[in-house]
Amino acid sequence: MESAATVPHKGMPSRRPTSWLFLLILGGGFLLRLRLAWLTFLNPDEALHYFLAHQASLKIAYEASLTTAHPPLMILFLHYWCLLGRSELFLRLPFVIAGTLFCWVMFLWTRKVAGSTAACFALAMFLFAPSLISLSAEIRQYSFLLLFCACSLYWLELALEKGEKSVQSMIFSAAALYLALLTHYSAMIFAAAVGLYGLLSLIRQKSHARLTSSWILSQAGALAICAFLYQSQISKLRESGVPSEIASTWLKYSIFQPGQNHLMPFAWHNSLRLFRYFFSQGTVGVIGFALFVFAVVVLILANKSYEPDLRKRELAALIAIPFLITLVLAIAGIYPFGGTRHDALLTIFAISGISIGLDLLPLGGTNATTKFVKAILLASALLICNLHPSPSGPYMRPQNQRRELMHQAVNSLKSLPPESVLFTDAQGSTVLDYYLCGDAMPLPFTPQKQIQRRRCGQYYVLASMAEQTGFDRAAFPQLLTNAWQEVPDGSHLYLFQSGWIDDRQQDWLNELRALGGTPNSFGPNILICPIQRTNTTPANSSR
């Protein structure tokens, strides 16, 4: 199947990169992910996922997974995987592999629908987009989500082609879709978009009754899984207020706020934020967004003199509709649309659209020269993204997340006097559990008390669970007073933080000094601060 960009040049031979070049760039993408997984300590979300999975039984791990805003499949897989080892690299290895395989499957799909040139552009972007490298090197749902969605899309494309194995491919596509739905809730957006794409393609092709029936059954199965997830988890999360808390805190700018936002500026600004997130670079993100829009417009306006069997309008709908669905959900306050990892699913359609737009872009000159120039421009853009990243949203730079920094901080904690009390937030609590406490964090994960007290080896941990995003600066003095009431007389209090510490870190350090603390930072993302009991601090005489 030819690329839309090469249709006017039907007489030209197709040139494909040699297999060694594919192996070289695949190996490069894999090694970048592996290196990042090896060098960095677990961030709070990763440590939380490990804690949820590392339970005494599969049943308890499943129940623990229900306290999060994600389906249970990844936690259940991790439950068995962490029985084999618990080092950062070992825990992350399946995600590194899945993130790399995803890139290859998307190359295969793009080659089917848009030709070899667009597929090569897509492979390079999927492999070397900084956001995808980062997500693939973390214990998160996104690597599995993207791989399952890519497989579902590829097998659907095989099923839509005429052949004896079309029904079998449809079954494989449905199975991959079900795994995606059980991995992350954004897969519902994928299911809706790909369902419409499949329906339009089946109607246009007037496909065999067996293939159509298998597609209908696959959609029914997806709806059944969605109903199960709603009943078992989503409805309970809504009752607990977790989605509202998330929407009002770290995803505030990705959810439409009535009375504060205007519809068109929100859609425009957050679309640009989204593409900036994909590439961790504002200028490259804007160029990518322009190429994406260009591709959608050209595919929609393509006339019948171009190869009609490429299903251009269906393809345009496929890559554009997920963005429209997510935008509508953000306006309704249901799901974020903006520059955060929660929209990682949209990279499937964004990068596919950008690769098609780059392939279709007329530059003049011979076909070979044009391809070479585009390849050089793309390589330069990806190099800039990785060497000079400017990401949006909560972000820890790899040099600030080096394992050596965490080991230094933990060794500092281990040198504290016995019975010392470590005062931390929800993020720091999960990190302490992995690196210091020996998996001592108790269930349930969501306690009723504002401050959770537990044993951690020869120390105690006081964890403030009031805010999932860290300490509330305005309420911190009162929170510290409450913490001192939990501290036995004569004990020392040490504040510990790790993760996405507030960007106004210098102001935070000054506040701690004013409260009697002596901050000690191990890079910008790890903080230990001894705090002295003042004369005005009420002592707990009962302890």
Side-chain angles (χ1 to χ4, degrees), residues 138-387:
E138 294 181 345
I139 305 171
R140 294 188 185 277
Q141 290 83 1
Y142 299 104
S143 291
F144 289 170
L145 166 72
L146 293 173
L147 176 60
F148 294 147
C149 288
C151 289
S152 178
L153 196 57
Y154 177 69
W155 276 317
L156 175 63
E157 203 63 42
L158 287 180
L160 293 173
E161 293 180 352
K162 294 179 180 180
E164 296 179 357
K165 296 183 178 181
S166 59
V167 174
Q168 180 181 350
S169 296
M170 186 67 77
I171 294 173
F172 288 158
S173 175
L177 174 61
Y178 300 162
L179 291 173
L181 288 168
L182 292 170
T183 300
H184 197 274
Y185 285 122
S186 64
M188 295 182 181
I189 299 172
F190 174 85
V194 174
L196 180 59
Y197 173 69
L199 177 62
L200 293 174
S201 299
L202 289 170
I203 292 174
R204 188 192 62 80
Q205 292 181 190
K206 299 179 181 179
S207 299
H208 193 276
R210 287 184 59 196
L211 179 61
T212 302
S213 299
S214 63
W215 177 83
I216 293 173
L217 289 175
S218 71
Q219 299 304 298
L223 289 173
I225 290 177
C226 292
F228 165 75
L229 291 173
Y230 182 85
Q231 178 65 30
S232 62
Q233 186 176 29
I234 298 176
S235 60
K236 296 178 177 60
L237 288 173
R238 291 175 64 88
E239 291 174 2
S240 68
V242 170
S244 299
E245 179 185 348
I246 293 174
S248 62
T249 53
W250 67 86
L251 292 181
K252 178 179 180 180
Y253 298 107
S254 298
I255 297 289
F256 185 78
Q257 307 292 332
Q260 300 179 29
N261 299 132
H262 297 285
L263 186 58
M264 293 307 296
F266 174 84
W268 173 255
H269 178 68
N270 280 31
S271 295
L272 295 181
R273 284 183 63 223
L274 191 57
F275 279 77
R276 175 181 176 175
Y277 166 75
F278 293 154
F279 295 99
S280 297
Q281 232 285 333
T283 303
V284 176
V286 171
I287 295 172
F289 179 65
L291 286 172
F292 175 83
V293 173
F294 172 72
V296 173
V297 171
V298 171
L299 290 172
I300 291 175
L301 298 180
N303 59 55
K304 293 185 179 180
S305 63
Y306 285 3
E307 296 287 335
D309 60 325
L310 287 177
R311 304 193 307 275
K312 290 186 177 59
R313 289 180 177 83
E314 288 97 325
L315 183 58
L318 174 64
I319 63 178
I321 284 176
F323 289 87
L324 297 177
I325 293 175
T326 311
L327 176 59
V328 170
L329 292 177
I331 294 171
I334 297 174
Y335 197 82
F337 178 77
T340 70
R341 64 180 179 272
H342 304 83
D343 292 317
L345 171 77
L346 298 180
T347 56
I348 292 177
F349 309 100
I351 290 180
S352 299
I354 293 169
S355 66
I356 294 171
L358 184 59
D359 186 25
L360 293 169
L361 189 67
L363 293 182
T366 64
N367 193 36
T369 301
T370 299
K371 289 181 180 179
F372 178 76
V373 170
K374 291 177 179 178
I376 293 297
L377 291 174
L378 177 58
S380 301
L382 291 173
L383 195 63
I384 292 171
C385 292
N386 284 278
L387 294 181

Side-chain angles (χ1 to χ4, degrees), residues 393-450:
Y395 178 73
M396 284 192 283
R397 296 186 179 276
Q399 62 267 31
N400 298 330
Q401 201 183 345
R402 289 179 289 115
R403 287 188 299 123
E404 291 80 2
L405 295 174
M406 180 58 71
H407 293 163
Q408 293 170 16
V410 172
N411 288 335
S412 177
L413 293 176
K414 289 180 178 179
S415 68
L416 299 178
E419 306 304 311
S420 294
V421 178
L422 310 179
F423 182 42
T424 187
D425 54 19
Q427 297 182 35
S429 179
T430 58
V431 174
L432 282 176
D433 179 65
Y434 177 81
Y435 285 102
L436 182 67
C437 301
D439 313 319
M441 184 184 290
L443 286 172
F445 174 66
T446 52
Q448 299 298 317
K449 295 179 64 177
Q450 185 184 43

Side-chain angles (χ1 to χ4, degrees), residues 89-104:
L89 179 61
F90 184 81
L91 292 173
R92 290 164 168 167
L93 188 58
F95 304 90
V96 171
I97 295 172
T100 307
L101 288 176
F102 155 72
C103 302
W104 179 249

Side-chain angles (χ1 to χ4, degrees), residues 457-479:
Q458 59 181 343
Y459 312 111
Y460 287 97
V461 170
L462 294 178
S464 171
M465 310 305 288
E467 297 286 342
Q468 295 297 309
T469 55
F471 288 120
D472 182 347
R473 299 291 173 78
F476 183 76
Q478 181 59 49
L479 189 64

Side-chain angles (χ1 to χ4, degrees), residues 63 83 86 127 136 227-228 274 325 340 470-471 498 523:
E63 292 172 349
L83 296 177
R86 69 182 304 274
L127 281 171
S136 298
F228 165 75
L274 191 57
I325 293 175
T340 70
F471 288 120
S498 177

